[in-house]
Amino acid sequence: MPLELLTVACLSDNYAYLLHDAGSGRTALVDAPEAAPIRAALDAHGWTLSDILITHHHDDHVAGLAELRGAARVIGARADAHRLPPLDLAVAPGAPLEVLGEPVEVIDVPGHTLGHIAFHFPHSAMAFTADSLMAMGCGRLFEGSAEQMWDSLRRLRDLPGRTLICSGHEYTQSNARFALTIEPDNVALRDRAADIDAARAQGRATVPSRLSEERATNPFLRADTLKLQQAIGLEGQPPAQVFAEIRRRKDRF
Ligand code: ZN
Ligand code: FE
C-alpha cells in the first residue's frame, strides 16, 4: 500500500508534508516550517510523528522542529549537521535509509544550499524536493553554482515520470508567468498555467505536481531541449549555460 500523503500549508507560502502508513500507524513529516498547522493536522487525524525528515537548513524549513519533534527520529544531511537542529540520524546521499517501512533514496541536490538533499520514496512514487525542483521552477542559487543546480535537477528529472514532486513553496503561479516568457509557444505550459490560475483562484494548493508534467513545462528542466534553446536564441549552447541564463532571467523577473 502506498503511503498516505497530506500537504500542510505553513507560514505565508511554505508547505510541509505528512506521510502516514496505515499498516503500522506511523507518521513522518517532511520539513517543519511552522508547528501550529502541522500540530493541527496531526491532531485532526490522531497521528503521532515517528520520523521528521529535513531537506535543508533554512529557517522556513526547520523553525517548527523543536516544538514538534517529541520522540520522533530527526533525519537530515550529514554535510549540514553543524547548521541543522540536532539530528538523530545524519544521512549522506546514496546511503541506505528506511522510513515507515519503505526504502528511501537520499539524493544530493546542491544549488539552493550546498547541503540540500531530496528524499525519494520509490514504492509510493513521491519525491520531497523542497527548494531544489519546484512546481514549474527551482530554488534560487544562494550557495551553489548553476552547474551544481543543473546537475541536481537532472538527477531528479531521471526519476520515474509518475513521481509526485512535493516541493516547498506555493510559487507556482508566478513561476508559470515567468515560464511563459521563456516558452510562450509551449502548449503544455499554456494549458498548465491556465490550470494553475484556476486552482489558485479557488485557493487550492498547486503541489504536489507530477514529474512528467514538470518535464514538459518547467523551463529549468528543459535547458537541454532544442525547443527551449531555440525559444531564447541559445541553440547548441551547453545546457548548464542555458540553465544559468534562465535562472538569471528569473532572478530579474
Ligand atoms: Zn530554502
Ligand atoms: Fe524555503
PDB file of all heavy atoms in Angstrom, residues 56 58 60-61 112 131 169, ligand 1:
ATOM      1  N   HIS A  56      16.765  20.922   4.138  1.00  0.00           N
ATOM      2  CA  HIS A  56      17.885  21.867   4.198  1.00  0.00           C
ATOM      3  C   HIS A  56      17.716  22.802   5.379  1.00  0.00           C
ATOM      4  O   HIS A  56      16.674  22.801   6.032  1.00  0.00           O
ATOM      5  CB  HIS A  56      18.080  22.620   2.875  1.00  0.00           C
ATOM      6  CG  HIS A  56      16.993  23.581   2.501  1.00  0.00           C
ATOM      7  ND1 HIS A  56      15.700  23.200   2.235  1.00  0.00           N
ATOM      8  CD2 HIS A  56      17.009  24.929   2.336  1.00  0.00           C
ATOM      9  CE1 HIS A  56      14.978  24.260   1.913  1.00  0.00           C
ATOM     10  NE2 HIS A  56      15.749  25.333   1.977  1.00  0.00           N
ATOM     11  N   HIS A  58      17.489  26.068   5.988  1.00  0.00           N
ATOM     12  CA  HIS A  58      16.828  27.377   6.067  1.00  0.00           C
ATOM     13  C   HIS A  58      15.713  27.377   7.114  1.00  0.00           C
ATOM     14  O   HIS A  58      14.974  26.404   7.252  1.00  0.00           O
ATOM     15  CB  HIS A  58      16.268  27.782   4.700  1.00  0.00           C
ATOM     16  CG  HIS A  58      17.321  28.286   3.759  1.00  0.00           C
ATOM     17  ND1 HIS A  58      17.138  28.329   2.400  1.00  0.00           N
ATOM     18  CD2 HIS A  58      18.575  28.760   4.004  1.00  0.00           C
ATOM     19  CE1 HIS A  58      18.242  28.819   1.835  1.00  0.00           C
ATOM     20  NE2 HIS A  58      19.127  29.078   2.782  1.00  0.00           N
ATOM     21  N   ASP A  60      12.831  28.650   7.306  1.00  0.00           N
ATOM     22  CA  ASP A  60      11.445  28.376   6.920  1.00  0.00           C
ATOM     23  C   ASP A  60      11.211  26.889   6.640  1.00  0.00           C
ATOM     24  O   ASP A  60      10.123  26.509   6.179  1.00  0.00           O
ATOM     25  CB  ASP A  60      11.020  29.242   5.715  1.00  0.00           C
ATOM     26  CG  ASP A  60      11.798  28.937   4.455  1.00  0.00           C
ATOM     27  OD1 ASP A  60      13.040  28.854   4.517  1.00  0.00           O
ATOM     28  OD2 ASP A  60      11.170  28.762   3.389  1.00  0.00           O
ATOM     29  N   HIS A  61      12.212  26.034   6.912  1.00  0.00           N
ATOM     30  CA  HIS A  61      12.028  24.585   6.788  1.00  0.00           C
ATOM     31  C   HIS A  61      12.264  23.853   8.113  1.00  0.00           C
ATOM     32  O   HIS A  61      11.992  22.656   8.203  1.00  0.00           O
ATOM     33  CB  HIS A  61      12.925  24.024   5.674  1.00  0.00           C
ATOM     34  CG  HIS A  61      12.553  24.586   4.336  1.00  0.00           C
ATOM     35  ND1 HIS A  61      11.823  23.879   3.403  1.00  0.00           N
ATOM     36  CD2 HIS A  61      12.742  25.813   3.804  1.00  0.00           C
ATOM     37  CE1 HIS A  61      11.608  24.656   2.348  1.00  0.00           C
ATOM     38  NE2 HIS A  61      12.154  25.833   2.565  1.00  0.00           N
ATOM     39  N   HIS A 112      20.533  25.505  -4.279  1.00  0.00           N
ATOM     40  CA  HIS A 112      19.860  26.475  -3.398  1.00  0.00           C
ATOM     41  C   HIS A 112      20.712  26.640  -2.126  1.00  0.00           C
ATOM     42  O   HIS A 112      21.052  27.748  -1.730  1.00  0.00           O
ATOM     43  CB  HIS A 112      18.470  25.944  -3.093  1.00  0.00           C
ATOM     44  CG  HIS A 112      17.651  26.774  -2.164  1.00  0.00           C
ATOM     45  ND1 HIS A 112      17.162  27.999  -2.507  1.00  0.00           N
ATOM     46  CD2 HIS A 112      17.222  26.535  -0.888  1.00  0.00           C
ATOM     47  CE1 HIS A 112      16.467  28.491  -1.477  1.00  0.00           C
ATOM     48  NE2 HIS A 112      16.494  27.623  -0.489  1.00  0.00           N
ATOM     49  N   ASP A 131      13.276  23.120  -1.937  1.00  0.00           N
ATOM     50  CA  ASP A 131      13.663  24.294  -2.717  1.00  0.00           C
ATOM     51  C   ASP A 131      14.701  23.951  -3.789  1.00  0.00           C
ATOM     52  O   ASP A 131      15.487  24.806  -4.211  1.00  0.00           O
ATOM     53  CB  ASP A 131      14.194  25.404  -1.793  1.00  0.00           C
ATOM     54  CG  ASP A 131      13.138  25.874  -0.796  1.00  0.00           C
ATOM     55  OD1 ASP A 131      11.985  25.401  -0.875  1.00  0.00           O
ATOM     56  OD2 ASP A 131      13.465  26.703   0.066  1.00  0.00           O
ATOM     57  N   HIS A 169       7.242  25.346  -1.652  1.00  0.00           N
ATOM     58  CA  HIS A 169       6.587  26.659  -1.621  1.00  0.00           C
ATOM     59  C   HIS A 169       5.457  26.768  -2.636  1.00  0.00           C
ATOM     60  O   HIS A 169       5.483  26.118  -3.683  1.00  0.00           O
ATOM     61  CB  HIS A 169       7.591  27.777  -1.936  1.00  0.00           C
ATOM     62  CG  HIS A 169       8.584  28.009  -0.852  1.00  0.00           C
ATOM     63  ND1 HIS A 169       8.392  28.922   0.156  1.00  0.00           N
ATOM     64  CD2 HIS A 169       9.794  27.430  -0.605  1.00  0.00           C
ATOM     65  CE1 HIS A 169       9.440  28.909   0.970  1.00  0.00           C
ATOM     66  NE2 HIS A 169      10.308  28.011   0.534  1.00  0.00           N
TER      67      HIS A 169
HETATM   68 ZN    ZN B   1      15.261  27.400   1.350  1.00  0.00          ZN
END
